[in-house]
Amino acid sequence: MQSLTTSGGQPFPTGSLFSPLPCIPLPGFPILATPVPAGFPSPAADFVEDRLSLDEHLIKHREATFFVRVTGQSMTGFGIHDGDLLVVDRAVDAADRSVVIAVVDGEFTVKQLCRIPDGVLLRASGKGHGDILVGPDQDLTVWGVVRWAIHRV
Amino acid sequence: MTVALVDGNNFYVSCERVFNPRLEGKPVVVLSNNDGCAVARSAEVKALGVRMGTPWFQLRDLAKQHGIIALSSNYALYADMSNRMMAVLADYSPEQEIYSIDECFLGLDGFADYDLVAYGQTIRQRVRQWVGIPVCVGIAETKTLAKLANHCAKKNLAGDNGVCNLSGMTEAELSRLFATIEVGEIWGVGPRLSKKLIARGIATVEALRTADAKTLRREFSVVLERTIAELNGVMCVDMQEAAPNKQQIISSRSFGNYVYDLAPLGEAVATYIATAATKLRHQGSLAGMVQVYVRTNPHKADVPQYQPSLTIPLPEATDDTLRLTQAALWGLKRIYRSGFAYQKAGVALLNLSDAGMPQLALFSKARDNTRVMQAMDRINAVWGRGTLRSAAEGTRREWKMKRERMSPGYTTRWDQLPIAR
């Protein structure tokens, strides 16, 4: 059951963007049974600060940040595991040795971008296994730069 | 005045291509909500001569022959990408007017020292990199001309590399360019009016620009006179009061006093929704998305500025005031930040579709009565959603399900994120 506020008359829909919007409760229909304390005000009230936000910590450019899911073991050596969630920022330019999302044969791949004399090497962590060499006359699209890998423990 | 119109190229198709690179360089169409007709076409599809709005069943043979890929419209994705694009563009001007899901005007007054073409290129490059959407930029002295400049940039008639600045062209260059563009391409000149103008010998932009405005005003309307003035660089359509087209209904107002808190902002937004929803029902449309925005006073540079906006796709297209209000208030709550002196709020009902169903007459009786809608919602709140609903709603629900070729919710659903190997 979602929490509803009665102060504004109508409840604000909560939950995800695409869940059905909740409807208005009947007047007099019990919504919350929690008593509202009316007494000594909390001495902590003057020291309220915003609670820490992971969005704030992980996302530098809101408009340019996308989430991507990892499949496979090719990057475990970089601490990126199967099923991890990647925070990808398109606003930053990929530098040499950045971990990037690149487009290879129409598919997304997560690899380390290494500039080498013969072009670019998309390096996997498996000692040469899974590396992709992109020649000087081949097209390479770097889709975004991986800033964080979120791993479920 | 100097103004830019920034417009996403084949916006829906471009959104799909960001997350599905395989679609790059291939002919792609996006179909309307019930997979009915083409509402967006990639350049490759346009080159095959497919027109906007062509029914999908008519396209099937051509699609087989040329490998056209058809997708159902994924409005959740397009709305999110639109919000991102508009937020990026907001950084490039103190004045932004979001005109539709894929285009906005940027006021460029006070940018006289800038190389506007280079500025346009910067904008283009930034949106492409950050959001992945290719855009074109048209720059001119009026909104009508900026629209035209954008058209020129898109069709490569003038300008360079997706940016066209008409205000940098000489009178002779403009004449030559405008003589090659059909009169129907002008903002506000629809198919019917353009037919009449052509019959009168006014077939090109140049012909209309140099026509006698007073005569045409008598023959047609004051709107056409204003269009002619705009074509001649005389600003008639202000940044705020864009002529609402049929695809959106806008309601916004500046406040008498500055407003600081969420509650009164909510009251204002709810009031504007009520106004807009009345218009919506009057013209027999349903809204598929609601946009809400608030802004501080852009003319007071010394106070903190904040101009957020958010587009909210609705689970179902609706003309129900209460549903629209809830969506708008939900959006307002997400963009609201305390500590700002808000001067204005507004809403837009977008992605309008025709409510024209046989049940319309029956339904319109009921929906004039707000209390019936309220009672319906209250009953549903207790007994479950959809317990009591109109017959028209039931029908709509069925055709909404027909989105067989929809791409995943790449940016809106945790279980549908893009995958990297």
Side-chain angles (χ1 to χ4, degrees), chain A residues 13 17 65 69 71 90 143, chain B residues 18 84 129 326 330 418 420-421:
Chain A
L17 193 52
T65 297
R69 184 78 65 189
T71 296
R90 291 176 58 100
W143 194 86
Chain B
V18 171
R84 289 168 184 263
Q129 185 185 341
Q326 285 185 316
W330 182 84
R421 276 167 208 291

Side-chain angles (χ1 to χ4, degrees), chain B residues 166-242:
Chain B
L166 291 181
S167 62
M169 289 169 70
T170 67
E171 191 54 34
E173 283 172 328
L174 284 179
S175 286
R176 225 173 306 133
L177 173 64
F178 287 167
T180 65
I181 305 171
E182 286 173 30
V183 73
E185 297 293 346
I186 298 168
W187 192 34
V189 178
R192 204 178 301 167
L193 179 56
S194 95
K195 229 181 192 172
K196 282 185 195 162
L197 288 170
I198 291 166
R200 227 186 146 287
I202 300 172
T204 66
V205 175
E206 181 62 4
L208 185 63
R209 187 171 78 118
T210 53
D212 183 51
K214 290 276 175 302
T215 315
L216 287 180
R217 175 190 177 154
R218 272 196 301 277
E219 247 176 272
F220 294 93
S221 69
V222 67
V223 180
L224 189 62
E225 187 191 27
R226 289 207 312 187
T227 300
I228 295 169
E230 284 247 319
L231 287 175
N232 284 288
V234 180
M235 204 257 292
C236 300
V237 187
D238 202 42
M239 268 301 279
Q240 310 300 330
E241 47 150 45

